[in-house]
Amino acid sequence: MARRILIGLLVAVVVVVGGAYAGTALLGVVPPHTLLRIQTTEPSRWGDLFPARTVEAAPGDRTAPAAAPPAGEVPWKGRTVPVREFLTSTDTVAFVVVRDGQVTQEWYADDVDPGTRLSSWSVAKSFVSLLVGQAIGRGELAEDDRLVELLPELEAGTAYDEVTVRDLLDMTAGIDVPEDYNAYWPFTGTARMYITRDLPEFVADHREVDSRPGTEGVYRSVDTELLGLILEQVTGRHLADLLETDLWQPIGAAADATWSLDREDGREKAFCCINATARDYARIGQLVLDGGRVGDRQVVPQEWITRISTPAPLPVDDWGYAAQWWHPTGGDGSDLSAIGIYGQYIYVSPRTGTVVVKLSDYGTEQDEQETIDAFRAIAEG
């Protein structure tokens, strides 16, 4: 009898597991073992769970000595606390401060070091913005171009066809893919887009708008994914290849990065999922701080730096927003930031000549204004 019960249980497990794999295959999403690893891995390391395309570092050895540990105090939760307390209380895994082009503060969690690649999450959107600005500067693209003129296979015969590159950049496209980040039921909205194994099919299946394009600022990751597909179309190159030759190597990136794909040899997840070291993220911030220049070379057109530095007419989630870069409330109005869920930041303060990178495993969208206020205190310090 016990033997029969055991066999019956094993058969039931096989049926359930087989059904789970069949179900995810039918849905076109990653298999159950990847979904399980997502539940048991910190968000800063989710880039290790997916196929990726490599972004090679600049040639040469750019090893640099460690900088000083965090110093000073910042406002946090109604108190003034040491920077180190701010970092640990927000589950920070890497922290770098660059002032006047030099790394002045640096700190890492116990299982992280300066060579550890960490997930960008939506900070990647700001990278895509810089690539778009370069494509516009080369005359390959214009902000007034309509999405369906560039990707005619997406024509819907509805208001969707009115969406422009400008709408996608400023999050005013109105495409109905909600920002759903539910890790326990990741089968709708952006969570579904994150685990899909076919990004072009996903965007083709989501061609409805819930507001007229150009009339309302609503944060939607699908807008950036469409910008990524547009860049591939107009350049004939993978996003990781564009990043490597047009940004990563020109800024002197010291370590290889990766860009996660929907499947092996597939499409980059443009809306998220670059994996890089904290210092190399800081180099992107420094590029923006320096007006798009590296030495004598204009890597990103100055006009595009002006574009991302000037809030668009429609705010997004009550903050200023410009071509995939955030303009937080408060301050002197000149600072801007790339921001990703779970506490990823590249903060740029032009007035003080400061860049702050903070990579974390914090809440989905937790304490973002308070974090920016802490960065402002660090920049003023």
Side-chain angles (χ1 to χ4, degrees), residues 83 85 149 261 353:
V83 172
E85 181 177 335
E149 292 173 337
L261 308 176

Side-chain angles (χ1 to χ4, degrees), residues 4-322:
R4 288 182 180 178
I5 292 173
L6 178 60
I7 291 173
L9 289 172
L10 289 174
V11 169
V13 169
V14 169
V15 169
V16 170
V17 171
Y21 276 87
T24 54
L26 185 63
L27 289 171
V29 300
V30 298
H33 63 269
T34 300
L35 294 176
L36 179 60
R37 290 183 68 192
I38 287 173
Q39 300 298 330
T40 57
T41 303
E42 294 289 358
S44 61
R45 307 305 287 269
W46 284 12
D48 299 337
L49 308 182
F50 296 90
R53 194 165 279 125
T54 299
V55 180
E56 291 189 1
D61 182 5
R62 288 176 168 77
T63 304
E73 295 182 323
V74 296
W76 187 250
K77 300 296 183 182
R79 300 185 297 128
T80 299
V81 303
V83 172
R84 178 68 175 267
E85 181 177 335
F86 159 64
L87 298 177
T88 56
S89 67
T90 55
D91 298 325
T92 306
V93 294
F95 173 75
V96 171
V97 177
V98 179
R99 191 183 300 275
D100 298 327
Q102 301 297 317
V103 179
T104 59
Q105 297 185 45
E106 192 168 24
W107 179 89
Y108 298 94
D110 290 341
D111 59 343
V112 176
D113 61 46
T116 304
R117 284 199 294 256
L118 299 164
S119 299
S120 70
W121 290 96
S122 288
V123 164
K125 291 178 170 69
S126 301
F127 285 52
V128 170
S129 169
L130 300 179
L131 295 174
V132 168
Q134 290 173 323
I136 290 173
R138 293 191 298 266
E140 298 168 340
L141 196 59
E143 290 200 57
D144 290 331
D145 288 343
R146 287 191 300 124
L147 166 64
V148 297
E149 292 173 337
L150 300 164
L151 301 175
E153 66 274 17
L154 295 180
E155 188 169 356
T158 66
Y160 179 93
D161 296 352
E162 300 173 13
V163 172
T164 65
V165 170
R166 179 178 290 105
D167 294 327
L168 298 173
L169 285 164
D170 291 336
M171 296 289 180
T172 61
I175 299 172
D176 189 13
V177 179
E179 288 298 295
D180 181 355
Y181 302 126
N182 189 341
Y184 298 99
W185 186 255
F187 301 113
T188 60
T190 296
R192 173 68 172 271
M193 184 165 62
Y194 180 72
I195 63 171
T196 185
R197 300 187 72 250
D198 193 334
L199 282 164
E201 180 180 66
F202 179 92
V203 299
D205 289 343
H206 294 82
R207 288 180 287 168
E208 297 181 359
V209 296
D210 54 14
S211 62
R212 198 85 185 184
T215 65
E216 185 178 354
V218 181
Y219 187 83
R220 298 283 168 84
S221 289
V222 69
D223 292 6
T224 317
E225 187 55 44
L226 287 163
L227 288 171
L229 294 175
I230 287 170
L231 280 169
E232 283 194 345
Q233 178 67 24
V234 301
T235 65
R237 301 173 63 195
H238 293 303
L239 291 183
D241 297 338
L242 284 172
L243 177 60
E244 178 180 291
T245 60
D246 296 355
L247 284 177
W248 212 238
Q249 294 189 355
I251 65 172
D256 291 352
T258 63
W259 203 328
S260 299
L261 308 176
D262 55 1
R263 62 183 184 275
E264 289 288 349
D265 200 31
R267 295 293 185 50
E268 286 84 352
K269 300 179 185 186
F271 63 98
C272 68
C273 310
I274 292 170
N275 310 288
T277 69
R279 282 196 174 203
D280 283 339
Y281 284 126
R283 286 181 167 92
I284 290 291
Q286 189 67 41
L287 175 69
V288 171
L289 185 65
D290 291 340
R293 298 182 66 85
V294 176
D296 295 331
R297 180 179 177 184
Q298 191 73 45
V299 175
V300 175
Q302 175 62 58
E303 294 81 3
W304 196 252
I305 301 301
T306 300
R307 168 73 165 92
I308 67 175
S309 300
T310 308
L314 296 173
V316 175
D317 295 339
D318 298 323
W319 277 13
Y321 198 78

